[in-house]
Short mmCIF file of all heavy atoms in Angstrom, two decimals:
data_model
loop_
_atom_site.label_atom_id
_atom_site.label_comp_id
_atom_site.label_asym_id
_atom_site.label_seq_id
_atom_site.Cartn_x
_atom_site.Cartn_y
_atom_site.Cartn_z
N MET A 24 22.87 8.33 4.10
CA MET A 24 22.50 7.52 2.97
C MET A 24 21.74 8.39 1.97
O MET A 24 20.74 9.01 2.31
CB MET A 24 21.65 6.35 3.45
CG MET A 24 21.07 5.52 2.33
SD MET A 24 19.90 4.28 2.89
CE MET A 24 21.00 2.95 3.21
N ALA A 25 22.19 8.40 0.75
CA ALA A 25 21.57 9.25 -0.26
C ALA A 25 20.27 8.68 -0.79
O ALA A 25 19.36 9.41 -1.12
CB ALA A 25 22.54 9.46 -1.41
N ASP A 26 20.19 7.36 -0.89
CA ASP A 26 18.98 6.73 -1.42
C ASP A 26 17.89 6.67 -0.35
O ASP A 26 18.15 6.40 0.81
CB ASP A 26 19.27 5.31 -1.89
CG ASP A 26 20.16 5.28 -3.11
OD1 ASP A 26 20.09 6.22 -3.90
OD2 ASP A 26 20.92 4.31 -3.25
N LYS A 27 16.68 6.90 -0.80
CA LYS A 27 15.54 6.77 0.10
C LYS A 27 15.06 5.33 0.06
O LYS A 27 15.21 4.64 -0.95
CB LYS A 27 14.44 7.74 -0.31
CG LYS A 27 14.88 9.18 -0.12
CD LYS A 27 13.75 10.15 -0.32
CE LYS A 27 14.30 11.54 -0.06
NZ LYS A 27 13.28 12.53 -0.02
N PRO A 28 14.46 4.85 1.13
CA PRO A 28 14.03 3.45 1.16
C PRO A 28 12.84 3.19 0.24
O PRO A 28 12.10 4.10 -0.12
CB PRO A 28 13.61 3.25 2.62
CG PRO A 28 13.20 4.61 3.08
CD PRO A 28 14.13 5.55 2.36
N ALA A 29 12.69 1.93 -0.12
CA ALA A 29 11.49 1.52 -0.85
C ALA A 29 10.33 1.54 0.12
O ALA A 29 10.48 1.24 1.31
CB ALA A 29 11.68 0.12 -1.42
N ILE A 30 9.16 1.92 -0.36
CA ILE A 30 7.96 1.99 0.47
C ILE A 30 6.91 1.08 -0.12
O ILE A 30 6.62 1.15 -1.31
CB ILE A 30 7.43 3.44 0.55
CG1 ILE A 30 8.48 4.35 1.19
CG2 ILE A 30 6.11 3.49 1.32
CD1 ILE A 30 8.13 5.82 1.16
N VAL A 31 6.36 0.21 0.73
CA VAL A 31 5.29 -0.69 0.31
C VAL A 31 4.03 -0.29 1.06
O VAL A 31 4.02 -0.25 2.30
CB VAL A 31 5.64 -2.17 0.61
CG1 VAL A 31 4.50 -3.08 0.21
CG2 VAL A 31 6.92 -2.57 -0.09
N LEU A 32 2.96 0.02 0.33
CA LEU A 32 1.69 0.43 0.91
C LEU A 32 0.68 -0.70 0.72
O LEU A 32 0.47 -1.17 -0.39
CB LEU A 32 1.19 1.70 0.23
CG LEU A 32 2.15 2.89 0.29
CD1 LEU A 32 1.72 3.96 -0.70
CD2 LEU A 32 2.22 3.43 1.68
N VAL A 33 0.09 -1.14 1.84
CA VAL A 33 -0.87 -2.24 1.79
C VAL A 33 -2.19 -1.73 2.37
O VAL A 33 -2.22 -1.19 3.47
CB VAL A 33 -0.37 -3.45 2.60
CG1 VAL A 33 -1.36 -4.60 2.53
CG2 VAL A 33 1.00 -3.89 2.11
N HIS A 34 -3.26 -1.93 1.63
CA HIS A 34 -4.57 -1.44 2.05
C HIS A 34 -5.19 -2.34 3.12
O HIS A 34 -4.74 -3.46 3.34
CB HIS A 34 -5.50 -1.34 0.85
CG HIS A 34 -5.75 -2.66 0.17
ND1 HIS A 34 -6.66 -3.56 0.64
CD2 HIS A 34 -5.18 -3.21 -0.91
CE1 HIS A 34 -6.65 -4.63 -0.15
NE2 HIS A 34 -5.76 -4.43 -1.10
N GLY A 35 -6.23 -1.84 3.75
CA GLY A 35 -6.98 -2.61 4.73
C GLY A 35 -8.05 -3.46 4.07
O GLY A 35 -8.12 -3.58 2.84
N PHE A 36 -8.91 -4.04 4.87
CA PHE A 36 -9.89 -5.01 4.39
C PHE A 36 -10.82 -4.45 3.32
O PHE A 36 -11.07 -5.10 2.32
CB PHE A 36 -10.70 -5.56 5.56
CG PHE A 36 -11.61 -6.69 5.15
CD1 PHE A 36 -11.08 -7.93 4.87
CD2 PHE A 36 -12.96 -6.51 5.02
CE1 PHE A 36 -11.90 -8.98 4.49
CE2 PHE A 36 -13.80 -7.55 4.64
CZ PHE A 36 -13.26 -8.80 4.37
N TRP A 37 -11.36 -3.25 3.51
CA TRP A 37 -12.34 -2.71 2.56
C TRP A 37 -11.73 -1.76 1.55
O TRP A 37 -12.43 -1.05 0.85
CB TRP A 37 -13.47 -2.01 3.30
CG TRP A 37 -14.28 -2.97 4.09
CD1 TRP A 37 -14.33 -3.05 5.46
CD2 TRP A 37 -15.14 -4.01 3.62
NE1 TRP A 37 -15.15 -4.05 5.85
CE2 TRP A 37 -15.68 -4.68 4.73
CE3 TRP A 37 -15.51 -4.45 2.36
CZ2 TRP A 37 -16.55 -5.74 4.63
CZ3 TRP A 37 -16.37 -5.51 2.26
CH2 TRP A 37 -16.90 -6.14 3.38
N GLY A 38 -10.42 -1.75 1.45
CA GLY A 38 -9.76 -0.83 0.54
C GLY A 38 -9.18 -1.52 -0.67
O GLY A 38 -9.42 -2.69 -0.92
N GLY A 39 -8.41 -0.78 -1.42
CA GLY A 39 -7.71 -1.30 -2.58
C GLY A 39 -6.46 -0.46 -2.81
O GLY A 39 -6.30 0.60 -2.20
N ALA A 40 -5.58 -0.93 -3.66
CA ALA A 40 -4.33 -0.21 -3.91
C ALA A 40 -4.58 1.21 -4.43
O ALA A 40 -3.81 2.12 -4.15
CB ALA A 40 -3.48 -1.00 -4.90
N ALA A 41 -5.69 1.41 -5.15
CA ALA A 41 -6.00 2.73 -5.69
C ALA A 41 -6.25 3.77 -4.59
O ALA A 41 -6.09 4.97 -4.82
CB ALA A 41 -7.23 2.65 -6.59
N HIS A 42 -6.59 3.34 -3.40
CA HIS A 42 -6.83 4.27 -2.30
C HIS A 42 -5.55 5.01 -1.88
O HIS A 42 -5.62 6.00 -1.17
CB HIS A 42 -7.42 3.54 -1.09
CG HIS A 42 -8.85 3.16 -1.29
ND1 HIS A 42 -9.23 1.91 -1.72
CD2 HIS A 42 -9.98 3.88 -1.15
CE1 HIS A 42 -10.55 1.87 -1.82
NE2 HIS A 42 -11.02 3.05 -1.49
N TRP A 43 -4.41 4.53 -2.30
CA TRP A 43 -3.14 5.16 -1.95
C TRP A 43 -2.73 6.24 -2.95
O TRP A 43 -1.65 6.82 -2.81
CB TRP A 43 -2.04 4.10 -1.88
CG TRP A 43 -2.18 3.16 -0.74
CD1 TRP A 43 -2.48 1.83 -0.81
CD2 TRP A 43 -2.01 3.44 0.64
NE1 TRP A 43 -2.52 1.28 0.43
CE2 TRP A 43 -2.24 2.25 1.36
CE3 TRP A 43 -1.70 4.59 1.36
CZ2 TRP A 43 -2.16 2.18 2.74
CZ3 TRP A 43 -1.63 4.51 2.74
CH2 TRP A 43 -1.86 3.32 3.41
N SER A 44 -3.53 6.55 -3.95
CA SER A 44 -3.10 7.45 -5.02
C SER A 44 -2.64 8.82 -4.52
O SER A 44 -1.62 9.33 -4.97
CB SER A 44 -4.20 7.61 -6.07
OG SER A 44 -5.35 8.19 -5.50
N LYS A 45 -3.35 9.42 -3.59
CA LYS A 45 -2.95 10.74 -3.08
C LYS A 45 -1.67 10.65 -2.26
O LYS A 45 -0.82 11.55 -2.32
CB LYS A 45 -4.07 11.37 -2.25
CG LYS A 45 -5.25 11.80 -3.08
CD LYS A 45 -6.32 12.46 -2.25
CE LYS A 45 -7.50 12.87 -3.10
NZ LYS A 45 -8.57 13.49 -2.32
N VAL A 46 -1.52 9.57 -1.51
CA VAL A 46 -0.30 9.37 -0.71
C VAL A 46 0.90 9.18 -1.64
O VAL A 46 1.96 9.76 -1.43
CB VAL A 46 -0.47 8.16 0.24
CG1 VAL A 46 0.84 7.84 0.96
CG2 VAL A 46 -1.59 8.40 1.23
N ILE A 47 0.71 8.37 -2.69
CA ILE A 47 1.78 8.12 -3.64
C ILE A 47 2.19 9.42 -4.34
O ILE A 47 3.39 9.70 -4.49
CB ILE A 47 1.37 7.05 -4.66
CG1 ILE A 47 1.30 5.69 -3.96
CG2 ILE A 47 2.31 7.01 -5.85
CD1 ILE A 47 0.67 4.59 -4.78
N THR A 48 1.22 10.21 -4.73
CA THR A 48 1.52 11.50 -5.37
C THR A 48 2.36 12.38 -4.45
O THR A 48 3.35 12.98 -4.89
CB THR A 48 0.20 12.21 -5.75
OG1 THR A 48 -0.52 11.38 -6.66
CG2 THR A 48 0.46 13.56 -6.38
N GLU A 49 1.98 12.44 -3.19
CA GLU A 49 2.72 13.27 -2.23
C GLU A 49 4.13 12.72 -1.98
O GLU A 49 5.10 13.47 -1.90
CB GLU A 49 1.95 13.39 -0.91
CG GLU A 49 2.63 14.23 0.14
CD GLU A 49 2.85 15.69 -0.25
OE1 GLU A 49 2.15 16.19 -1.14
OE2 GLU A 49 3.74 16.34 0.36
N LEU A 50 4.26 11.41 -1.86
CA LEU A 50 5.57 10.82 -1.63
C LEU A 50 6.48 11.03 -2.85
O LEU A 50 7.68 11.31 -2.69
CB LEU A 50 5.44 9.34 -1.29
CG LEU A 50 4.87 9.04 0.09
CD1 LEU A 50 4.57 7.55 0.23
CD2 LEU A 50 5.81 9.50 1.19
N HIS A 51 5.92 10.93 -4.05
CA HIS A 51 6.70 11.23 -5.26
C HIS A 51 7.17 12.68 -5.23
O HIS A 51 8.32 12.97 -5.56
CB HIS A 51 5.87 10.99 -6.53
CG HIS A 51 5.97 9.62 -7.08
ND1 HIS A 51 7.14 9.08 -7.58
CD2 HIS A 51 5.04 8.66 -7.22
CE1 HIS A 51 6.91 7.86 -7.99
NE2 HIS A 51 5.64 7.57 -7.78
N ARG A 52 6.28 13.57 -4.83
CA ARG A 52 6.63 15.00 -4.76
C ARG A 52 7.78 15.23 -3.79
O ARG A 52 8.62 16.09 -3.99
CB ARG A 52 5.41 15.80 -4.32
CG ARG A 52 5.57 17.30 -4.42
CD ARG A 52 4.39 18.06 -3.88
NE ARG A 52 4.28 17.98 -2.43
CZ ARG A 52 5.07 18.64 -1.56
NH1 ARG A 52 6.04 19.40 -1.99
NH2 ARG A 52 4.90 18.51 -0.27
N ARG A 53 7.85 14.41 -2.75
CA ARG A 53 8.91 14.54 -1.74
C ARG A 53 10.18 13.77 -2.10
O ARG A 53 11.09 13.65 -1.29
CB ARG A 53 8.39 14.09 -0.39
CG ARG A 53 7.30 15.00 0.15
CD ARG A 53 6.80 14.54 1.48
NE ARG A 53 5.69 15.34 1.93
CZ ARG A 53 5.45 15.60 3.20
NH1 ARG A 53 6.21 15.11 4.14
NH2 ARG A 53 4.40 16.34 3.52
N GLY A 54 10.22 13.20 -3.30
CA GLY A 54 11.45 12.57 -3.77
C GLY A 54 11.54 11.07 -3.61
O GLY A 54 12.58 10.49 -3.91
N HIS A 55 10.49 10.43 -3.19
CA HIS A 55 10.50 8.97 -3.09
C HIS A 55 10.13 8.40 -4.45
O HIS A 55 9.11 8.75 -5.03
CB HIS A 55 9.49 8.48 -2.04
CG HIS A 55 9.85 8.88 -0.65
ND1 HIS A 55 10.71 8.15 0.12
CD2 HIS A 55 9.47 9.94 0.09
CE1 HIS A 55 10.85 8.74 1.30
NE2 HIS A 55 10.10 9.84 1.30
N ASP A 56 10.98 7.51 -4.96
CA ASP A 56 10.70 6.97 -6.29
C ASP A 56 10.49 5.46 -6.30
O ASP A 56 10.10 4.90 -7.30
CB ASP A 56 11.79 7.36 -7.28
CG ASP A 56 13.17 6.89 -6.86
OD1 ASP A 56 13.31 6.35 -5.74
OD2 ASP A 56 14.11 7.05 -7.64
N ARG A 57 10.73 4.81 -5.18
CA ARG A 57 10.51 3.36 -5.12
C ARG A 57 9.28 3.09 -4.24
O ARG A 57 9.37 2.77 -3.07
CB ARG A 57 11.74 2.65 -4.56
CG ARG A 57 12.94 2.79 -5.51
CD ARG A 57 14.11 1.98 -5.06
NE ARG A 57 14.57 2.44 -3.75
CZ ARG A 57 15.26 1.68 -2.90
NH1 ARG A 57 15.58 0.46 -3.21
NH2 ARG A 57 15.66 2.18 -1.75
N LEU A 58 8.11 3.24 -4.86
CA LEU A 58 6.83 3.07 -4.16
C LEU A 58 6.07 1.91 -4.79
O LEU A 58 6.04 1.75 -6.00
CB LEU A 58 5.99 4.34 -4.29
CG LEU A 58 6.59 5.60 -3.69
CD1 LEU A 58 5.86 6.82 -4.19
CD2 LEU A 58 6.53 5.52 -2.18
N HIS A 59 5.46 1.12 -3.93
CA HIS A 59 4.69 -0.02 -4.39
C HIS A 59 3.38 -0.07 -3.62
O HIS A 59 3.38 -0.13 -2.39
CB HIS A 59 5.46 -1.33 -4.18
CG HIS A 59 6.84 -1.28 -4.73
ND1 HIS A 59 7.11 -1.50 -6.06
CD2 HIS A 59 8.03 -1.00 -4.14
CE1 HIS A 59 8.41 -1.37 -6.26
NE2 HIS A 59 8.99 -1.07 -5.12
N ALA A 60 2.26 -0.05 -4.32
CA ALA A 60 0.94 -0.21 -3.70
C ALA A 60 0.48 -1.63 -4.04
O ALA A 60 0.29 -1.97 -5.20
CB ALA A 60 -0.05 0.81 -4.22
N VAL A 61 0.34 -2.44 -3.01
CA VAL A 61 0.02 -3.86 -3.19
C VAL A 61 -1.49 -4.05 -3.23
O VAL A 61 -2.22 -3.53 -2.39
CB VAL A 61 0.62 -4.68 -2.03
CG1 VAL A 61 0.27 -6.14 -2.16
CG2 VAL A 61 2.13 -4.49 -1.98
N GLU A 62 -1.94 -4.80 -4.21
CA GLU A 62 -3.35 -5.17 -4.29
C GLU A 62 -3.50 -6.51 -3.58
O GLU A 62 -3.01 -7.53 -4.03
CB GLU A 62 -3.80 -5.28 -5.75
CG GLU A 62 -5.29 -5.43 -5.93
CD GLU A 62 -6.05 -4.19 -5.48
OE1 GLU A 62 -5.71 -3.08 -5.89
OE2 GLU A 62 -7.00 -4.36 -4.69
N ASN A 63 -4.14 -6.49 -2.43
CA ASN A 63 -4.30 -7.67 -1.59
C ASN A 63 -5.74 -8.17 -1.76
O ASN A 63 -6.65 -7.63 -1.15
CB ASN A 63 -4.01 -7.31 -0.13
CG ASN A 63 -3.94 -8.50 0.77
OD1 ASN A 63 -3.89 -9.63 0.30
ND2 ASN A 63 -3.91 -8.26 2.07
N PRO A 64 -5.95 -9.20 -2.58
CA PRO A 64 -7.32 -9.63 -2.89
C PRO A 64 -7.99 -10.38 -1.74
O PRO A 64 -7.81 -11.58 -1.59
CB PRO A 64 -7.12 -10.54 -4.10
CG PRO A 64 -5.75 -11.10 -3.91
CD PRO A 64 -4.96 -10.01 -3.25
N LEU A 65 -8.72 -9.66 -0.94
CA LEU A 65 -9.46 -10.28 0.16
C LEU A 65 -10.90 -10.49 -0.30
O LEU A 65 -11.58 -9.57 -0.71
CB LEU A 65 -9.43 -9.37 1.39
CG LEU A 65 -8.04 -9.09 1.95
CD1 LEU A 65 -8.14 -8.06 3.06
CD2 LEU A 65 -7.40 -10.36 2.46
N THR A 66 -11.35 -11.72 -0.24
CA THR A 66 -12.68 -12.03 -0.74
C THR A 66 -13.72 -12.09 0.37
O THR A 66 -14.88 -11.82 0.14
CB THR A 66 -12.67 -13.37 -1.49
OG1 THR A 66 -12.15 -14.38 -0.62
CG2 THR A 66 -11.79 -13.27 -2.73
N SER A 67 -13.29 -12.45 1.58
CA SER A 67 -14.23 -12.50 2.71
C SER A 67 -13.44 -12.54 4.00
O SER A 67 -12.24 -12.82 4.01
CB SER A 67 -15.12 -13.75 2.63
OG SER A 67 -14.36 -14.91 2.89
N LEU A 68 -14.09 -12.27 5.10
CA LEU A 68 -13.44 -12.33 6.39
C LEU A 68 -12.96 -13.75 6.68
O LEU A 68 -11.86 -13.96 7.17
CB LEU A 68 -14.38 -11.85 7.50
CG LEU A 68 -13.79 -11.78 8.90
CD1 LEU A 68 -12.55 -10.89 8.93
CD2 LEU A 68 -14.83 -11.26 9.88
N ALA A 69 -13.76 -14.74 6.31
CA ALA A 69 -13.36 -16.14 6.53
C ALA A 69 -12.10 -16.49 5.75
O ALA A 69 -11.23 -17.20 6.26
CB ALA A 69 -14.50 -17.07 6.14
N ASP A 70 -11.97 -15.99 4.53
CA ASP A 70 -10.78 -16.26 3.73
C ASP A 70 -9.54 -15.57 4.31
O ASP A 70 -8.43 -16.06 4.15
CB ASP A 70 -10.97 -15.79 2.29
CG ASP A 70 -11.92 -16.68 1.51
OD1 ASP A 70 -12.19 -17.81 1.96
OD2 ASP A 70 -12.39 -16.22 0.46
N ALA A 71 -9.73 -14.43 4.95
CA ALA A 71 -8.60 -13.68 5.51
C ALA A 71 -8.20 -14.18 6.89
O ALA A 71 -7.12 -13.86 7.36
CB ALA A 71 -8.96 -12.20 5.58
N SER A 72 -9.04 -14.95 7.55
CA SER A 72 -8.77 -15.42 8.91
C SER A 72 -7.90 -16.68 8.88
O SER A 72 -8.03 -17.51 7.99
CB SER A 72 -10.08 -15.77 9.62
OG SER A 72 -10.90 -14.66 9.69
N PRO A 73 -7.01 -16.78 9.87
CA PRO A 73 -6.20 -18.00 9.95
C PRO A 73 -7.08 -19.21 10.25
O PRO A 73 -8.05 -19.13 11.00
CB PRO A 73 -5.24 -17.74 11.09
CG PRO A 73 -5.71 -16.51 11.77
CD PRO A 73 -6.72 -15.83 10.91
N ARG A 74 -6.77 -20.29 9.63
CA ARG A 74 -7.52 -21.53 9.85
C ARG A 74 -6.86 -22.35 10.95
O ARG A 74 -5.65 -22.43 11.00
CB ARG A 74 -7.57 -22.32 8.56
CG ARG A 74 -8.12 -21.49 7.42
CD ARG A 74 -8.96 -22.31 6.50
NE ARG A 74 -9.25 -21.60 5.27
CZ ARG A 74 -10.33 -20.87 5.08
NH1 ARG A 74 -11.21 -20.73 6.03
NH2 ARG A 74 -10.53 -20.28 3.93
N THR A 75 -7.67 -22.94 11.78
CA THR A 75 -7.13 -23.77 12.86
C THR A 75 -7.57 -25.20 12.71
O THR A 75 -8.46 -25.53 11.99
CB THR A 75 -7.57 -23.26 14.24
OG1 THR A 75 -8.98 -23.19 14.28
CG2 THR A 75 -6.97 -21.90 14.51
#
């Protein structure tokens, strides 16, 4: 397959999409052009936890 897959980068609880900047730069350098860094707005641990 000639096309490279799309890559979605999702940060952890205390991070943000900007934390992927060095990874994105390196992946672009290696020929990946479909990159997405998702901003996942976590406001608190209670908001991120499943409710029962």
Side-chain angles (χ1 to χ4, degrees):
M24 173 187 272
D26 292 330
K27 294 189 178 188
I30 299 173
V31 178
L32 302 166
V33 181
H34 62 81
F36 187 73
W37 294 111
H42 286 97
W43 292 111
S44 62
K45 289 182 181 179
V46 173
I47 289 170
T48 300
E49 180 62 21
L50 288 170
H51 270 296
R52 190 185 71 74
R53 294 180 185 212
H55 294 275
D56 58 354
R57 295 186 299 157
L58 298 165
H59 309 278
V61 178
E62 190 65 51
N63 190 11
L65 299 174
T66 56
S67 71
L68 184 56
D70 288 343
S72 300
R74 306 216 192 267
T75 56

